[in-house]
Amino acid sequence: MSQNDNPSLLQRTFKSMAGVEPHELSAVLLSMLYFFFLFGSYSVVKPVRDAMGTVYGINHLNQLFLGTFIGTLILAPLYAGMASRLKLSNFLPWVYGFIALTILGFYALFSGGKVSDRYVAAGFYIWVSVFNMLIISVFWSFMADTFSRTQAKRLFGFIAAGGTVGGIAGPAIATLLAKSVGNNGLMLISAGGFIVTALLVKLLANERDKLVAASGSEGQRTNINHRLGGNPLDGFILLLKSPYLMLIAGFLLLMTFISTVVYTQLGDLMTKAFSDHNARTQAYAAIELVVNSTAVLIQLIGTGRIINRFGVTLGLMLNPIIMVFAFLAIAFSPVLMILASLQVVRRVAEYAVAKPTREMLFTVVDQESKYKAKNVIDTVVYRGGDLIASFASVAVLNGYGDIGLAVLGVIVSLFWFPIAWVLGKRYESARSAEGVAAVPVAVGH
């Protein structure tokens, strides 16, 4: 009698919660732990990054945004070049090991008295902002290369809950320990967390082989015991030659643009509503708490069911639909309570449904696109959208106020909506055997 014929209580519990099959349980739990330590480690060091931004100068943050975008342009081909030369099973853990080493390097600089150096502070701010996008991209690339399209529909929302819990635990640790251990102590905690993450990646790589064997025809058919081959610019080439990948890039660009518009508008209304900085921090914290708490509940018990019931297309279209009505409401009544409430709804929908759904799109592309083109989309395109939207939002806000920003949001959301629809239909119609292949450019493995 196999293990699947007589599942344990733990297996039955996860099966009823999120449709996790017994043979998938170990890989799913390792993936959740991986995402928990990954996002938790970043969340611990994020307040240190923000503090370094104030050292550089709050009036020069646009320079840091520009530096972050340039950093992603440099890092994307370096990442692709390393992925072309190293076995993925060895390369993926070392991504996080390298992050830990760089944090320890900055720890040494700050301990040596460089904490007040504006350019060291700027370097730390930019590097953390750059690797933030890289580490999340690598995680979801690995997930898309571990779980099949069918499995992803059931499991990605549940796995995403690990990162959401990490996003709650990280700031809690930073808040509790910031005064007692200081910024340097938080950096050591973060570096230790990334080392644990690297070990979990290695464990998951071994578990992945067992999952693929046990899943039969439903599982992913790729393996990670080889190098990808090719050259450092493959990610850009794959993106530009694949209409499907360009649709994903367009979707993310507009999603990022909308997020920045809302962020700018919320910041403006917060400034008008609260003269005290502590009150603003408390208001932001309340929004974060409601968003993360609600999102994790939906991710644990509802995301898989929602996507299985309504499909990937609706999952992608949910946020554009919400934002059209949200910005219309703000245009007619630009008050903080309405915007804060809509921000909660938007981000819960994004974290619980849209984000896991977007990552499913990569389960039907070839392995090279999962690691190279996806990295370009998640770093360069994302930060490019951030940069463009930040300048556009400030210009519109200064010229037309909050109503002008709301109108801009409606216009962008109306462009975002058809892209989400077309992208969802392309994904849903992709044959599982062939997928949506990007143009192959690699030179062999």
Side-chain angles (χ1 to χ4, degrees):
M1 181 179 292
S2 69
Q3 186 184 40
N4 289 359
D5 295 328
N6 188 24
S8 66
L9 176 61
L10 183 65
Q11 291 171 333
R12 292 197 301 272
T13 300
F14 279 88
K15 170 77 172 178
S16 63
M17 283 180 62
V20 182
E21 298 294 341
H23 70 275
E24 299 166 341
L25 183 57
S26 295
V28 168
L29 291 179
L30 279 173
S31 298
M32 292 183 75
L33 274 176
Y34 168 8
F35 205 12
F36 170 81
F37 276 96
L38 167 62
F39 206 68
S41 301
Y42 162 71
S43 298
V44 167
V45 83
K46 183 177 181 292
V48 183
R49 181 205 69 171
D50 294 337
M52 292 303 104
T54 64
V55 171
Y56 184 73
I58 200 69
N59 294 325
H60 303 290
L61 286 180
N62 60 329
Q63 297 175 12
L64 297 179
F65 288 153
L66 179 60
T68 298
F69 177 65
I70 294 172
T72 61
L73 283 175
I74 296 171
L75 186 64
L78 289 176
Y79 168 86
M82 295 299 291
S84 300
R85 288 162 176 77
L86 298 173
K87 286 184 178 180
L88 290 173
S89 56
N90 295 327
F91 172 63
L92 295 175
W94 269 107
V95 169
Y96 301 107
F98 177 72
I99 298 297
L101 290 175
T102 60
I103 293 175
L104 291 175
F106 277 106
Y107 167 82
L109 286 173
F110 292 156
S111 298
K114 296 291 186 180
V115 69
S116 298
D117 189 304
R118 290 185 68 241
Y119 295 104
V120 173
F124 184 76
Y125 184 100
I126 290 171
W127 174 235
V128 174
S129 300
V130 169
F131 82 60
N132 165 35
M133 307 312 303
L134 172 68
I135 59 178
I136 303 300
S137 179
V138 171
F139 171 79
W140 285 113
S141 293
F142 194 16
M143 293 300 101
D145 202 22
T146 298
F147 300 98
S148 69
R149 181 176 65 168
T150 305
Q151 291 170 323
K153 280 189 175 184
R154 290 185 286 107
L155 304 175
F156 271 18
F158 191 71
I159 290 170
T164 305
V165 175
I168 296 172
I173 291 171
T175 302
L176 290 172
L177 299 181
K179 289 186 178 180
S180 58
V181 303
N183 285 346
N184 287 357
L186 293 178
M187 292 170 71
L188 289 179
I189 293 171
S190 176
F194 279 115
I195 292 172
V196 173
T197 301
L199 295 175
L200 287 169
V201 174
K202 197 67 177 175
L203 290 174
L204 183 57
N206 295 331
E207 189 62 36
R208 180 190 182 279
D209 295 334
K210 300 176 185 176
L211 174 67
V212 171
S215 298
S217 60
E218 186 190 50
Q220 281 286 1
R221 308 320 308 162
T222 57
N223 73 79
I224 59 172
N225 295 312
H226 66 92
R227 62 184 181 88
L228 292 176
N231 67 76
L233 296 179
D234 282 349
F236 293 94
I237 297 171
L238 285 164
L239 172 60
L240 293 175
K241 289 188 174 182
S242 169
Y244 181 73
L245 293 174
M246 287 294 289
L247 277 172
I248 297 177
F251 178 89
L252 182 63
L253 183 71
L254 294 181
M255 185 181 79
T256 305
F257 196 102
I258 288 295
S259 297
T260 304
V261 169
V262 174
Y263 182 80
T264 303
Q265 194 169 35
L266 185 62
D268 181 61
L269 291 178
M270 284 281 195
T271 302
K272 293 174 180 176
F274 304 108
S275 58
D276 180 59
H277 291 273
N278 293 329
R280 294 175 198 168
T281 300
Q282 188 176 32
Y284 276 118
I287 292 174
E288 290 294 319
L289 180 60
V290 174
V291 168
N292 288 328
S293 301
T294 307
V296 75
L297 288 175
I298 298 175
Q299 287 167 339
L300 286 173
I301 61 176
T303 300
R305 292 181 172 88
I306 292 171
I307 296 172
N308 272 322
R309 174 67 179 85
F310 297 104
V312 168
T313 302
L314 183 62
L316 293 171
M317 291 168 57
L318 184 61
N319 270 73
I321 292 171
I322 289 173
M323 293 317 300
V324 168
F325 290 103
F327 281 121
L328 286 173
I330 296 166
F332 285 105
S333 183
V335 297
L336 179 60
M337 185 59 69
I338 290 179
L339 182 57
S341 300
L342 293 173
Q343 171 77 328
V344 169
V345 174
R346 179 192 73 84
R347 290 183 60 193
V348 168
E350 180 181 331
Y351 292 170
V353 180
K355 175 68 174 173
T357 303
R358 183 173 68 84
E359 300 302 343
M360 293 174 196
L361 301 174
F362 291 95
T363 61
V364 296
V365 302
D366 58 82
Q367 191 177 40
E368 195 170 22
S369 296
K370 289 173 183 173
Y371 289 98
K372 293 184 178 180
K374 186 180 190 308
N375 176 254
V376 172
I377 293 170
D378 288 347
T379 59
V380 177
V381 173
Y382 187 102
R383 288 305 186 191
D386 227 7
L387 184 65
I388 295 169
S390 64
F391 282 99
S393 297
V394 171
V396 171
L397 183 65
N398 290 336
Y400 303 97
D402 292 306
I403 294 177
L405 269 183
V407 173
L408 175 64
V410 170
I411 294 171
V412 175
S413 296
L414 289 174
F415 280 100
W416 188 17
F417 181 86
I419 290 177
W421 186 82
V422 173
L423 184 57
K425 291 300 180 184
R426 285 290 304 273
Y427 170 87
E428 297 284 9
S429 64
R431 288 174 294 179
S432 59
E434 297 179 40
V436 184
V439 178
V441 298
V443 294
H445 305 315

Short mmCIF file of all heavy atoms in Angstrom, two decimals, residues 37-77:
data_model
loop_
_atom_site.label_atom_id
_atom_site.label_comp_id
_atom_site.label_asym_id
_atom_site.label_seq_id
_atom_site.Cartn_x
_atom_site.Cartn_y
_atom_site.Cartn_z
N PHE A 37 11.54 32.57 4.84
CA PHE A 37 12.87 33.07 5.22
C PHE A 37 13.37 34.11 4.22
O PHE A 37 14.03 35.08 4.61
CB PHE A 37 13.86 31.91 5.33
CG PHE A 37 13.82 31.21 6.65
CD1 PHE A 37 13.07 30.05 6.82
CD2 PHE A 37 14.50 31.72 7.75
CE1 PHE A 37 13.00 29.41 8.05
CE2 PHE A 37 14.46 31.08 8.99
CZ PHE A 37 13.70 29.92 9.14
N LEU A 38 13.05 33.92 2.95
CA LEU A 38 13.48 34.86 1.93
C LEU A 38 12.88 36.24 2.17
O LEU A 38 13.61 37.23 2.30
CB LEU A 38 13.07 34.33 0.54
CG LEU A 38 13.16 35.30 -0.63
CD1 LEU A 38 14.60 35.73 -0.84
CD2 LEU A 38 12.60 34.65 -1.89
N PHE A 39 11.55 36.31 2.25
CA PHE A 39 10.91 37.61 2.39
C PHE A 39 11.08 38.17 3.80
O PHE A 39 11.18 39.38 3.98
CB PHE A 39 9.43 37.51 2.03
CG PHE A 39 8.86 38.81 1.55
CD1 PHE A 39 9.26 39.35 0.34
CD2 PHE A 39 7.94 39.52 2.31
CE1 PHE A 39 8.75 40.56 -0.11
CE2 PHE A 39 7.43 40.72 1.87
CZ PHE A 39 7.84 41.25 0.66
N GLY A 40 11.14 37.28 4.78
CA GLY A 40 11.39 37.74 6.14
C GLY A 40 12.77 38.36 6.28
O GLY A 40 12.94 39.40 6.93
N SER A 41 13.78 37.74 5.65
CA SER A 41 15.15 38.27 5.72
C SER A 41 15.25 39.63 5.05
O SER A 41 15.92 40.54 5.55
CB SER A 41 16.11 37.29 5.04
OG SER A 41 16.07 36.03 5.68
N TYR A 42 14.56 39.78 3.91
CA TYR A 42 14.54 41.09 3.26
C TYR A 42 13.80 42.11 4.11
O TYR A 42 14.24 43.26 4.25
CB TYR A 42 13.88 40.98 1.88
CG TYR A 42 13.44 42.33 1.35
CD1 TYR A 42 14.38 43.27 0.93
CD2 TYR A 42 12.09 42.68 1.32
CE1 TYR A 42 13.98 44.51 0.48
CE2 TYR A 42 11.69 43.93 0.86
CZ TYR A 42 12.64 44.84 0.44
OH TYR A 42 12.25 46.07 0.01
N SER A 43 12.68 41.71 4.70
CA SER A 43 11.87 42.63 5.50
C SER A 43 12.60 43.12 6.74
O SER A 43 12.35 44.23 7.22
CB SER A 43 10.54 41.96 5.90
OG SER A 43 9.79 41.62 4.76
N VAL A 44 13.52 42.31 7.28
CA VAL A 44 14.32 42.73 8.43
C VAL A 44 15.27 43.85 8.05
O VAL A 44 15.48 44.82 8.80
CB VAL A 44 15.11 41.53 9.01
CG1 VAL A 44 16.17 42.01 10.00
CG2 VAL A 44 14.16 40.56 9.71
N VAL A 45 15.86 43.75 6.85
CA VAL A 45 16.86 44.73 6.45
C VAL A 45 16.24 45.93 5.73
O VAL A 45 16.90 46.97 5.56
CB VAL A 45 17.94 44.06 5.55
CG1 VAL A 45 17.49 43.96 4.10
CG2 VAL A 45 19.27 44.78 5.66
N LYS A 46 14.99 45.85 5.33
CA LYS A 46 14.34 46.95 4.61
C LYS A 46 14.30 48.24 5.43
O LYS A 46 14.57 49.32 4.88
CB LYS A 46 12.92 46.54 4.19
CG LYS A 46 12.18 47.59 3.37
CD LYS A 46 10.83 47.06 2.93
CE LYS A 46 10.07 48.10 2.10
NZ LYS A 46 9.66 49.26 2.88
N PRO A 47 13.96 48.20 6.74
CA PRO A 47 14.01 49.45 7.51
C PRO A 47 15.40 50.07 7.56
O PRO A 47 15.53 51.30 7.63
CB PRO A 47 13.53 49.03 8.91
CG PRO A 47 12.76 47.77 8.69
CD PRO A 47 13.44 47.08 7.55
N VAL A 48 16.44 49.23 7.56
CA VAL A 48 17.81 49.74 7.53
C VAL A 48 18.05 50.47 6.20
O VAL A 48 18.66 51.54 6.16
CB VAL A 48 18.83 48.60 7.72
CG1 VAL A 48 20.25 49.17 7.75
CG2 VAL A 48 18.54 47.82 8.99
N ARG A 49 17.56 49.88 5.11
CA ARG A 49 17.66 50.53 3.81
C ARG A 49 16.99 51.89 3.83
O ARG A 49 17.56 52.89 3.35
CB ARG A 49 17.01 49.65 2.73
CG ARG A 49 17.10 50.25 1.33
CD ARG A 49 16.00 49.75 0.43
NE ARG A 49 14.70 50.29 0.83
CZ ARG A 49 13.59 50.16 0.10
NH1 ARG A 49 13.63 49.49 -1.04
NH2 ARG A 49 12.45 50.67 0.52
N ASP A 50 15.77 51.95 4.37
CA ASP A 50 15.03 53.22 4.41
C ASP A 50 15.77 54.26 5.27
O ASP A 50 15.77 55.45 4.94
CB ASP A 50 13.63 52.99 4.95
CG ASP A 50 12.78 52.13 4.02
OD1 ASP A 50 13.10 52.07 2.82
OD2 ASP A 50 11.82 51.49 4.49
N ALA A 51 16.39 53.80 6.35
CA ALA A 51 17.17 54.71 7.19
C ALA A 51 18.37 55.26 6.43
O ALA A 51 18.73 56.43 6.56
CB ALA A 51 17.62 53.99 8.46
N MET A 52 19.01 54.40 5.61
CA MET A 52 20.15 54.86 4.81
C MET A 52 19.70 55.86 3.75
O MET A 52 20.47 56.74 3.34
CB MET A 52 20.84 53.67 4.16
CG MET A 52 21.56 52.74 5.14
SD MET A 52 22.82 53.59 6.15
CE MET A 52 21.94 53.69 7.73
N GLY A 53 18.45 55.74 3.30
CA GLY A 53 17.92 56.72 2.37
C GLY A 53 17.86 58.11 2.98
O GLY A 53 18.14 59.11 2.31
N THR A 54 17.54 58.19 4.27
CA THR A 54 17.51 59.49 4.95
C THR A 54 18.92 60.03 5.16
O THR A 54 19.11 61.25 5.19
CB THR A 54 16.78 59.39 6.30
OG1 THR A 54 17.50 58.50 7.18
CG2 THR A 54 15.37 58.85 6.11
N VAL A 55 19.90 59.13 5.31
CA VAL A 55 21.29 59.58 5.43
C VAL A 55 21.75 60.24 4.14
O VAL A 55 22.41 61.28 4.13
CB VAL A 55 22.23 58.39 5.79
CG1 VAL A 55 23.70 58.81 5.70
CG2 VAL A 55 21.92 57.87 7.18
N TYR A 56 21.35 59.64 3.01
CA TYR A 56 21.72 60.23 1.71
C TYR A 56 20.99 61.55 1.49
O TYR A 56 21.53 62.47 0.89
CB TYR A 56 21.40 59.25 0.59
CG TYR A 56 21.85 59.74 -0.77
CD1 TYR A 56 23.20 59.75 -1.11
CD2 TYR A 56 20.93 60.21 -1.71
CE1 TYR A 56 23.62 60.21 -2.34
CE2 TYR A 56 21.34 60.67 -2.94
CZ TYR A 56 22.68 60.68 -3.25
OH TYR A 56 23.10 61.14 -4.48
N GLY A 57 19.76 61.63 1.96
CA GLY A 57 18.99 62.87 1.80
C GLY A 57 17.63 62.61 1.21
O GLY A 57 17.52 62.11 0.09
N ILE A 58 16.59 62.92 1.96
CA ILE A 58 15.24 62.62 1.53
C ILE A 58 14.86 63.40 0.28
O ILE A 58 14.00 62.97 -0.51
CB ILE A 58 14.23 62.92 2.68
CG1 ILE A 58 12.92 62.16 2.44
CG2 ILE A 58 14.02 64.41 2.84
CD1 ILE A 58 13.03 60.68 2.60
N ASN A 59 15.52 64.55 0.05
CA ASN A 59 15.23 65.36 -1.13
C ASN A 59 15.92 64.85 -2.39
O ASN A 59 15.76 65.42 -3.48
CB ASN A 59 15.65 66.82 -0.89
CG ASN A 59 14.82 67.48 0.19
OD1 ASN A 59 13.63 67.21 0.32
ND2 ASN A 59 15.44 68.36 0.97
N HIS A 60 16.71 63.79 -2.23
CA HIS A 60 17.44 63.24 -3.38
C HIS A 60 17.02 61.80 -3.66
O HIS A 60 17.79 61.05 -4.28
CB HIS A 60 18.94 63.30 -3.11
CG HIS A 60 19.46 64.68 -2.81
ND1 HIS A 60 19.53 65.68 -3.78
CD2 HIS A 60 19.89 65.26 -1.66
CE1 HIS A 60 20.00 66.78 -3.23
NE2 HIS A 60 20.23 66.56 -1.95
N LEU A 61 15.82 61.41 -3.23
CA LEU A 61 15.38 60.03 -3.44
C LEU A 61 15.24 59.69 -4.91
O LEU A 61 15.40 58.53 -5.30
CB LEU A 61 14.04 59.80 -2.72
CG LEU A 61 14.11 59.69 -1.19
CD1 LEU A 61 12.71 59.45 -0.63
CD2 LEU A 61 15.05 58.57 -0.77
N ASN A 62 14.93 60.71 -5.75
CA ASN A 62 14.82 60.43 -7.19
C ASN A 62 16.16 59.94 -7.75
O ASN A 62 16.20 59.13 -8.68
CB ASN A 62 14.33 61.66 -7.94
CG ASN A 62 15.26 62.85 -7.78
OD1 ASN A 62 15.91 63.01 -6.75
ND2 ASN A 62 15.29 63.70 -8.79
N GLN A 63 17.27 60.41 -7.17
CA GLN A 63 18.58 59.92 -7.59
C GLN A 63 18.77 58.46 -7.21
O GLN A 63 19.37 57.68 -7.96
CB GLN A 63 19.68 60.78 -6.95
CG GLN A 63 19.66 62.24 -7.37
CD GLN A 63 20.69 63.08 -6.62
OE1 GLN A 63 21.57 62.54 -5.94
NE2 GLN A 63 20.57 64.40 -6.73
N LEU A 64 18.23 58.08 -6.05
CA LEU A 64 18.32 56.69 -5.62
C LEU A 64 17.45 55.80 -6.51
O LEU A 64 17.83 54.66 -6.82
CB LEU A 64 17.91 56.56 -4.15
CG LEU A 64 18.78 57.30 -3.14
CD1 LEU A 64 18.24 57.09 -1.72
CD2 LEU A 64 20.23 56.83 -3.22
N PHE A 65 16.28 56.29 -6.92
CA PHE A 65 15.43 55.53 -7.85
C PHE A 65 16.15 55.32 -9.17
O PHE A 65 16.10 54.23 -9.76
CB PHE A 65 14.10 56.26 -8.09
CG PHE A 65 13.16 56.22 -6.92
CD1 PHE A 65 12.22 57.23 -6.74
CD2 PHE A 65 13.20 55.20 -5.99
CE1 PHE A 65 11.35 57.21 -5.67
CE2 PHE A 65 12.34 55.17 -4.91
CZ PHE A 65 11.41 56.17 -4.75
N LEU A 66 16.79 56.38 -9.65
CA LEU A 66 17.54 56.27 -10.91
C LEU A 66 18.70 55.29 -10.76
O LEU A 66 18.95 54.46 -11.63
CB LEU A 66 18.06 57.65 -11.33
CG LEU A 66 18.89 57.69 -12.61
CD1 LEU A 66 18.06 57.19 -13.80
CD2 LEU A 66 19.39 59.12 -12.87
N GLY A 67 19.40 55.38 -9.63
CA GLY A 67 20.50 54.46 -9.37
C GLY A 67 20.03 53.02 -9.30
O GLY A 67 20.70 52.09 -9.78
N THR A 68 18.84 52.81 -8.72
CA THR A 68 18.27 51.46 -8.63
C THR A 68 17.96 50.92 -10.02
O THR A 68 18.24 49.74 -10.33
CB THR A 68 16.99 51.47 -7.78
OG1 THR A 68 17.31 51.90 -6.45
CG2 THR A 68 16.36 50.09 -7.72
N PHE A 69 17.39 51.76 -10.88
CA PHE A 69 17.09 51.32 -12.25
C PHE A 69 18.36 50.96 -13.01
O PHE A 69 18.43 49.93 -13.70
CB PHE A 69 16.33 52.42 -12.99
CG PHE A 69 16.03 52.09 -14.42
CD1 PHE A 69 15.17 51.04 -14.74
CD2 PHE A 69 16.61 52.81 -15.45
CE1 PHE A 69 14.89 50.72 -16.06
CE2 PHE A 69 16.33 52.50 -16.77
CZ PHE A 69 15.48 51.45 -17.08
N ILE A 70 19.40 51.78 -12.87
CA ILE A 70 20.67 51.49 -13.53
C ILE A 70 21.26 50.20 -12.97
O ILE A 70 21.81 49.37 -13.71
CB ILE A 70 21.66 52.67 -13.34
CG1 ILE A 70 21.14 53.91 -14.08
CG2 ILE A 70 23.05 52.30 -13.83
CD1 ILE A 70 21.93 55.17 -13.80
N GLY A 71 21.12 50.01 -11.66
CA GLY A 71 21.61 48.77 -11.04
C GLY A 71 20.95 47.53 -11.60
O GLY A 71 21.60 46.51 -11.83
N THR A 72 19.63 47.61 -11.86
CA THR A 72 18.94 46.45 -12.44
C THR A 72 19.41 46.19 -13.87
O THR A 72 19.50 45.04 -14.30
CB THR A 72 17.42 46.66 -12.44
OG1 THR A 72 17.07 47.81 -13.22
CG2 THR A 72 16.89 46.82 -11.02
N LEU A 73 19.70 47.27 -14.63
CA LEU A 73 20.21 47.11 -15.99
C LEU A 73 21.57 46.39 -15.99
O LEU A 73 21.87 45.62 -16.91
CB LEU A 73 20.36 48.47 -16.67
CG LEU A 73 19.08 49.15 -17.17
CD1 LEU A 73 19.40 50.53 -17.71
CD2 LEU A 73 18.41 48.30 -18.25
N ILE A 74 22.37 46.64 -14.96
CA ILE A 74 23.68 46.00 -14.86
C ILE A 74 23.54 44.56 -14.36
O ILE A 74 24.18 43.64 -14.87
CB ILE A 74 24.60 46.81 -13.92
CG1 ILE A 74 24.88 48.20 -14.51
CG2 ILE A 74 25.91 46.06 -13.66
CD1 ILE A 74 25.59 49.14 -13.56
N LEU A 75 22.68 44.37 -13.36
CA LEU A 75 22.58 43.06 -12.72
C LEU A 75 21.92 42.01 -13.61
O LEU A 75 22.31 40.83 -13.58
CB LEU A 75 21.79 43.18 -11.41
CG LEU A 75 21.74 41.90 -10.55
CD1 LEU A 75 23.14 41.52 -10.08
CD2 LEU A 75 20.82 42.09 -9.36
N ALA A 76 20.92 42.40 -14.40
CA ALA A 76 20.18 41.42 -15.21
C ALA A 76 21.08 40.61 -16.13
O ALA A 76 21.02 39.37 -16.14
CB ALA A 76 19.07 42.11 -16.00
N PRO A 77 21.97 41.23 -16.93
CA PRO A 77 22.86 40.42 -17.77
C PRO A 77 23.90 39.65 -16.98
O PRO A 77 24.31 38.56 -17.39
CB PRO A 77 23.51 41.45 -18.70
CG PRO A 77 23.33 42.77 -18.04
CD PRO A 77 22.06 42.67 -17.26
#
